[in-house]
Amino acid sequence: MRESASTFQVRPSVYFEEWDEPLFAGSRWVSELVEIAGGRDCFADYAQHSLGKDRIIADPAEVVRRAPQIILGSWCGKKFRPENVAARPGWEVIPAVRDGHLHEVKSPIILQPGPAALTDGLARIHDILLRWQPSATFPGVPT
């Protein structure tokens, strides 16, 4: 994955949302997987905290200020709803929202450290980042 990611023209900024009410940034291992997959975790400073309560984003405008190019959601126990994220007040200016780059990474493959996160979770994130790349083209898939 690192080798493939090293060929990316751009390492997009990524906001990984682990929960929506309140907003939780991703954990340390998720942040590390985003980096391995070819992205830049725009909340890596939050990811350094092991406790979820320390990863709460108290002001949703902070996500707007950090302007992620991709938003990944994995709401443990419930389906990620990109339309709910896009409808948050002021979020329409976020590049990921404006350009429609909101994606779910199912919680069983990413939210627990272990084999699934290191294989399926990492592969899913890498695929999203690869398809985001400005020069990426895939037969039969609109760019």
Side-chain angles (χ1 to χ4, degrees):
M1 289 291 169
R2 283 187 201 271
E3 188 175 320
S4 175
S6 74
T7 67
F8 287 178
Q9 291 179 357
V10 179
R11 294 181 66 86
S13 61
V14 176
Y15 165 50
F16 187 97
E17 187 173 283
E18 192 172 309
W19 193 248
D20 62 328
E21 294 177 15
L23 302 181
F24 271 74
S27 64
R28 181 180 207 143
W29 73 81
V30 170
S31 181
E32 291 171 358
L33 293 177
V34 165
E35 298 286 332
I36 291 168
R40 291 179 298 104
D41 180 3
C42 64
F43 279 91
D45 52 326
Y46 282 59
Q48 300 310 308
H49 301 286
S50 61
L51 298 177
K53 69 181 182 80
D54 296 327
R55 290 184 282 115
I56 293 173
I57 301 168
D59 180 5
E62 185 60 26
V63 181
V64 177
R65 284 188 286 279
R66 295 189 188 205
Q69 294 165 297
I70 296 173
I71 294 176
L72 302 176
S74 188
W75 300 341
C76 187
K78 69 179 181 178
K79 183 169 177 43
F80 175 69
R81 300 280 184 204
E83 65 277 8
N84 293 356
V85 173
R88 292 175 184 161
W91 282 41
E92 68 278 355
V93 300
I94 295 174
V97 173
R98 181 192 63 222
D99 300 336
H101 293 291
L102 296 95
H103 306 276
E104 180 174 32
V105 179
K106 297 207 179 282
S107 58
I109 66 167
I110 196 67
L111 292 184
Q112 294 188 16
L118 296 175
T119 57
D120 300 339
L122 178 58
R124 171 79 173 128
I125 295 169
H126 181 72
D127 184 59
I128 291 166
L129 275 55
L130 175 64
R131 289 175 178 271
W132 177 90
Q133 290 298 305
S135 64
T137 57
F138 300 91
V141 177
T143 56

